Amino acid sequence: MADTTTPEAKLALIYANLAESLNPEIIDDVVKKQDRPLKIYWGTATTGRPHCGYFVPMLKIAQFLQAGCHVKILLADIHAFLDNLKAPIELVNYRAKYYKLVITESLKAVNVPVDRLEFVLGSEYQKSPDYMMDLLRLSTMTTEHDAKRAGAEVVKQTDNPLLSGLIYPLMQALDEQYLDVDVQFGGVDQRKIFALAKEALPKLGYKERAHLMNKMVPGLQGDKMSSSDPDSKIDLLDGPELVKKKLKKAFAEPKKVEGNGLLSFIEYVLMPAGVLEGGKPIFTVERREGEPLVYHDVQKLHDDYKADILTPQLLKSGVTDAINKLLAPIQKAFAASPEWQEIEKTAYPPPVAEDKKKVKKVKNKGTKYPGGAKNVEAQPDGSVEGQGKQEVSVGTSVEDAMNKLELAKEGVEA
């Protein structure tokens, strides 16, 4: 366990393994001069199912906590359906609960003390008169071009974008003020939103915040992990056989390190997880012949891969074993919780299976989510398509939408 008694040690943990930081002087002032816990928030829109890529921010959050920071996790339920209706308003209730459960168990899986975390639901404060007035004020100061540019790497892009996608980055900027934090943390794909927040908040009379960014881990096919592409990522509830099957299909060009999502996952998840478990980074690959390959640093891992000592087949086998070990406690907790299982079914209803025997008459059976038999179908990214999509996604009236955002406090609050 690293020494966290000095400001220098705390700052070393806060900045470790980051891709970039903006306004670090704000962080330094809080830690060195104000001598108080740094307040940080990390937000996630409750859309598709969380996947193994979430371990990257989880491990960084572990370091923030180790450095004595106060960390807030924003379950951004309103953001979820603003992003091209990825999460229907009828389902954000259940998805927020699902996210809290899966994030909590993911943190426990890498030995993070969850009692020192604060979960905040976006709709708890984003519907307030002050917040909405500030959002309108900010909209008078932000051009369509700047709003679209800010969300370019985060909000789903289309040829004819919805206005909601332009509101999304403005709200993310305001969240820094209303969550009362010093820092917002996220991936480098959030950089343009962070830049907007740096410029926007002082225009409203609020102080500028610092921003910390972690690197993005490539997906199994070499691109960004995506909830809409099941083959690009490992779901946190994927069983051992499914993990093995997906990793067999993973892209891993022999002797080439660049663009290899498996090597990146080892560097940013599996090795840091080893630090939390045993005090040092480690990744082990069992071999049928010879001693296991044991790695304590990324350079040796890369060197062996380039030399074909660590072959793509061995790499996939080692990562499969390590991921299954990492996911085991999460899946054990899921199996032991009927409540979580019910929430999962409701939050992510399966698509309706067609009745092949009765092809002449198509029955509108709907899906199992709340709201009844509307002819919509769940998609891999968590959105829905089909007749009735609009009603499911945004509600039938203001009162309807507001009611569906009123979550049971005992189910979501920390």
Side-chain angles (χ1 to χ4, degrees):
M1 184 68 69
D3 174 28
T4 57
T5 59
T6 66
E8 290 74 19
K10 292 177 181 179
L11 290 172
L13 277 170
I14 290 167
Y15 292 122
N17 299 324
L18 289 174
E20 189 178 357
S21 61
L22 301 177
N23 291 93
E25 66 277 4
I26 294 174
I27 298 172
D28 295 352
D29 179 72
V30 171
V31 176
K32 289 183 176 180
K33 295 181 180 180
Q34 299 185 40
D35 191 27
R36 64 169 174 82
L38 187 71
K39 294 181 288 185
I40 300 176
Y41 106 79
W42 173 73
T44 179
T46 54
T47 56
R49 295 171 181 268
H51 49 70
C52 279
Y54 277 63
F55 277 114
V56 178
M58 293 302 100
L59 289 162
K60 191 61 213 174
I61 286 171
Q63 290 182 314
F64 293 151
L65 292 170
Q66 193 176 342
C69 301
H70 180 78
V71 180
K72 297 181 180 182
I73 293 182
L74 173 65
L75 301 173
D77 53 343
I78 291 182
H79 282 85
F81 70 90
L82 287 178
D83 187 0
N84 207 45
L85 303 179
K86 284 184 180 178
I89 201 167
E90 292 199 357
L91 300 184
V92 292
N93 179 327
Y94 301 96
R95 291 188 182 179
K97 294 178 181 179
Y98 180 83
Y99 265 65
K100 182 182 179 183
L101 286 165
V102 80
I103 289 172
T104 298
E105 294 304 326
S106 298
L107 289 165
K108 287 181 180 178
V110 290
N111 298 315
V112 177
V114 295
D115 57 316
R116 294 169 55 198
L117 286 172
E118 180 182 352
F119 284 90
V120 181
L121 192 65
S123 58
E124 289 179 350
Y125 66 89
Q126 290 167 346
K127 297 180 294 179
S128 70
D130 287 347
Y131 187 95
M132 292 307 300
M133 192 65 229
D134 272 341
L135 181 59
L136 294 175
R137 290 171 63 206
L138 186 54
S139 72
T140 69
M141 306 172 187
T142 309
T143 66
E144 176 192 2
H145 173 271
D146 289 347
K148 187 174 181 180
R149 181 177 181 273
E153 295 186 46
V154 178
V155 181
K156 186 176 181 180
Q157 301 296 297
T158 63
D159 292 335
N160 188 24
L162 296 171
L163 183 60
S164 59
L166 304 180
I167 297 173
Y168 186 112
L170 274 60
M171 289 181 62
Q172 189 168 333
L174 278 179
D175 290 338
E176 297 179 359
Q177 173 66 24
Y178 281 81
L179 287 170
D180 186 28
V181 295
D182 307 299
V183 183
Q184 183 178 174
F185 166 60
V188 290
D189 60 338
Q190 307 273 330
R191 194 187 193 286
K192 292 176 182 177
I193 293 182
F194 293 168
L196 175 70
K198 275 170 50 63
E199 296 178 5
L201 291 187
K203 292 179 182 178
L204 295 173
Y206 300 135
K207 66 180 183 181
E208 191 173 323
R209 268 64 177 193
H211 298 89
L212 299 175
M213 288 162 271
N214 60 258
K215 296 179 181 179
M216 303 300 292
V217 174
L220 301 182
Q221 305 305 320
D223 300 318
K224 178 182 174 181
M225 287 192 187
S226 171
S227 295
S228 62
D229 181 4
D231 287 334
S232 76
K233 48 91 179 184
I234 303 292
D235 189 290
L236 295 174
L237 296 182
D238 282 347
E241 289 304 313
L242 185 53
V243 170
K244 184 177 180 180
K245 180 180 178 181
K246 286 185 176 182
L247 286 173
K248 274 189 175 181
K249 297 190 294 182
F251 176 77
E253 185 176 343
K255 301 182 182 181
K256 186 178 179 181
V257 171
E258 294 76 19
N260 189 314
L262 300 184
L263 291 175
S264 295
F265 192 77
I266 294 168
E267 179 178 358
Y268 295 111
V269 175
L270 298 179
M271 281 190 168
V275 175
L276 292 173
E277 287 187 8
K280 62 180 180 179
I282 187 170
F283 174 65
T284 304
V285 179
E286 298 291 340
R287 296 188 290 181
R288 291 182 180 179
E289 297 181 3
E291 295 294 318
L293 297 173
V294 181
Y295 299 100
H296 296 291
D297 65 84
V298 175
Q299 189 58 54
K300 175 62 175 171
L301 177 76
H302 287 182
D303 289 345
D304 276 9
Y305 192 77
K306 290 177 182 177
D308 212 30
I309 296 170
L310 177 61
T311 65
Q313 292 75 19
L314 285 172
L315 175 66
K316 291 179 180 182
S317 175
V319 172
T320 298
D321 291 342
I323 287 180
N324 282 332
K325 180 181 178 182
L326 194 61
L327 297 182
I330 301 173
Q331 294 170 8
K332 182 179 179 181
F334 177 76
S337 174
E339 178 192 7
W340 187 1
Q341 293 168 32
E342 188 60 33
I343 289 172
E344 188 266 345
K345 290 178 184 177
T346 311
Y348 299 98
V352 179
E354 293 184 5
D355 190 345
K356 296 180 180 179
K357 294 181 181 180
K358 299 180 180 180
V359 293
K360 292 183 180 180
K361 185 177 180 182
V362 179
K363 291 187 176 181
N364 177 10
K365 295 183 178 179
T367 56
K368 296 181 181 178
Y369 58 80
K374 302 177 184 68
N375 188 24
V376 297
E377 202 168 284
Q379 303 300 305
D381 66 351
S383 62
V384 295
E385 294 293 340
Q387 184 182 358
K389 170 187 174 180
Q390 198 73 10
E391 181 182 344
V392 172
S393 296
V394 300
T396 56
S397 66
V398 173
E399 292 79 9
D400 181 45
M402 295 289 275
N403 287 336
K404 286 166 183 172
L405 282 171
E406 294 297 333
L407 303 187
K409 290 187 177 181
E410 66 274 11
V412 179
E413 287 187 350

